[in-house]
Amino acid sequence: MGEFSPFHWMIVALVILVLFGGRKIPEVMKGLGQGIREFKEGMRGGDSPTTPPASTTTTTPPATAPPPSTPEPKP
């Protein structure tokens, strides 16, 4: 009773096909594969990042002029 027979797997596959449809299954599997890949990379400590690191040089923002001062009204 603890094992699935091939008949059980066919029923599970049929239910998945009915729920998601034929076009949606490849997208679901792609997302699942990417999730597993990211999980494995996280378990390794992220030694190899998927995106190249940003430039290490820092740039200073351009100097901005202070807002113009308005003269105070005289009483």
Side-chain angles (χ1 to χ4, degrees), residues 10-35:
M10 288 184 350
I11 291 174
V12 169
L14 181 64
V15 168
I16 290 173
L17 183 63
V18 168
L19 289 176
F20 293 107
R23 293 183 181 176
K24 196 72 171 171
I25 291 176
E27 294 174 19
V28 171
M29 292 297 118
K30 182 180 177 182
L32 182 64
Q34 288 176 345

Side-chain angles (χ1 to χ4, degrees), residues 39-71:
F39 177 76
K40 286 182 180 179
E41 287 176 4
M43 292 299 290
R44 282 185 277 183
D47 294 337
S48 59
T50 56
T51 58
S55 176
T56 57
T57 59
T58 58
T59 59
T60 56
T64 58
S69 62
T70 57

